[in-house]
Amino acid sequence: MNQETFSSHRRKTLGVIENQSYSQIPQPSSVMKKVMGVRGQVVASDGLNGQTGTLIGQNRVFQRSSSSGNFVEGVHMVNGVQKDVFRNSRQSLALSSARRSSVYTSGRPSNIGFLSQVASQVPSKDPRPIRDKQYQLMCIHSILAYLSSSGFPQVLTQKSLQQPTQKDFMTIFKWLYHKLDPNYQFVKKMDDEVIICIKNLKYPFADQISRSQLIAVGSPHSWPSMLSMLHWMVEMISCTEKLINKEIDIDDNNDNDAEKIFFDYLTKAYRVFLSGDDDFSEMEKELEHEFDKRNEEILSVIEHLEKENESLSETIKNIAESMSSIEILDRERKVLQSDKDKFNQYIQYLENKKKKFIDLNARLKNELFNKEKELSQLSVEKSELQTQVDSQPISPADVDRMTAERESLVKNLEIVTGKMEESSKQTFEKEILAQKKIDSLEKLIANYNSLGYKIGIIPETAPYANNASFELDFISPAANHGAIRPDQLVNRDLRHDIRPRLQKLRQDLGSRLHKEQDDAIQLQEVLDKVCEGLLDARDELDVLQAKVSVTMEQYNDVKDNMLAESSVSNAEIEKLERDLQQMKITAQNGLLQLEQRSQSVSIEYDQLVHATNNLKEDLYREVIRMLDEVIRFKLHIQTSLESLENDIVLENENCDSGNTDS
């Protein structure tokens, strides 16, 4: 089967899927991506308006892709599909630089794509209080709790996460990212890998993390952003694990039943497609059965609503027919109720008025009784007075005369009393005026004495007194029982004694004042010159301050650059220190090994020297023994040769003697 036949055969596998939209369901590398669409329509009768409704709209697009194999497995576990199918058929998609976002879209939002929906809402600024100490402690505790529960190989403390090293941060980041994508391989520099990974995870604030922050990750300026990013990853991993373990129920919303049914169909069809089978009739029947079942449920609900609507319409009609008589009775009831309220108010008004009249009647009776009693007393007094008058021997003429005298005396008394009151009033006013004058004079004398003290003429020893007394004393009239003349209120003669001296003092002070004014003019000229110099100095000071401000700005710029460079330098120094520490540790280990080797060699040398000495002694003894043997052998040979020589000599002698005898 050639490639074209295979492709045309594959295009017939999903019967109800047409080439209307692109599907992002992962497929094997041997098969090209196919253009697929979904067209389905379920027609149901609308009982309320008589129109037909579409349960699943035409051209409904279902898209999903994955940024990591682990999350795809989690979603398929939620939908009842085993993880092994995708684990065996796909490797980590993180190996590709162009990763696809995991989004499941449809006509309505789905619970499955909640992570991507949240990640797509990127705020312009991080709303979290990442620089707050309490928030940082909360993030540290959360990260430590997850790392300890997930089997992190290193031992971390709260202090190590407050100012971490770059190595610790990269180790934690790799561990957390492998929880999301266990097949990912870190092949580039970690500075680049971290930025790529968080962008692929759709971290909302990935643009706020720069490479310089990753270089100096433990600095106070960079660490809050890094810590909040790690905390976000921990929360995302926890949420994903809960979703995989079905701790989060995503089936509560019935609005997406059609999408879920069709997604289950696509999942099962894709499993069959991956296994190489092209028969989808059974799954299509299940899909048709599910939609028919849902249509039946909807139709039953519609019938129930229609029946309920008919019963409610009948009830409304009956109520409308009986409404006329009820309205008439209700109006009559309202009128009677209004009359009742008015009568109750009028009765209450009369009751209050009755109480007022009863109280008024009681008061009038009391007053009448009191007046009658008073009248009886006055009648008794009148009778007594009449009796007294009748008993006196006075004629009517005497009574008239006494009455006239009494009236004239009363008039004279009134006139004298008026004159006396007027005189007393005038006297009081004069006394008040005199007292005011005396008080004013006393104040003037006190003011004069105080001014004299100030200008230096009081007391007699003052600078301008010239041994003359300028002080005035007030003589109170009360001390002399009021018998004192006005010119005696002061102890000195003001016109002939005090005034001439003051005039003379005034002339002297005037001449001194003119002299002082001349000196003041000269001093003012000097002051003007000093002010001009001061203004020049201020101008120079302003120029210097401007130069200082420019210098401070340059200093701040240099300081900022130095701080940035120092952070980079600190990171490099930290790295070099770690390398140096590692080299020191390696050197120390090598030195220890060399020392141990030297000690072992020394021990071996001592053993060899001892063995050599022992061997030398053995050799010496053996050589001595051998020499002794050689000497003994030599002596033995020598003695043997001597004996042999003697034997030969004897034998020769015997031979010679025998020859001689013969």
Side-chain angles (χ1 to χ4, degrees), residues 402-421:
M402 292 172 63
T403 302
E405 290 178 356
R406 181 175 177 276
E407 290 177 356
S408 65
L409 290 174
V410 168
K411 289 180 181 179
N412 292 330
L413 180 62
E414 290 177 355
I415 293 170
V416 172
T417 303
K419 290 181 179 180
M420 186 178 66
E421 289 178 355

Side-chain angles (χ1 to χ4, degrees), residues 577-595:
E577 286 179 352
R578 290 197 300 270
D579 295 339
L580 180 61
Q581 188 69 23
Q582 187 66 30
M583 292 174 65
K584 286 182 179 179
I585 294 171
T586 305
Q588 289 178 358
N589 293 331
L591 182 61
L592 291 175
Q593 292 177 0
L594 289 175
E595 289 179 354

Side-chain angles (χ1 to χ4, degrees), residues 256-271:
N256 297 326
D257 287 343
E259 287 86 347
K260 293 176 183 177
I261 293 170
F262 192 76
F263 186 77
D264 292 338
Y265 162 73
L266 289 178
T267 305
K268 295 177 181 178
Y270 188 59
R271 289 183 60 196

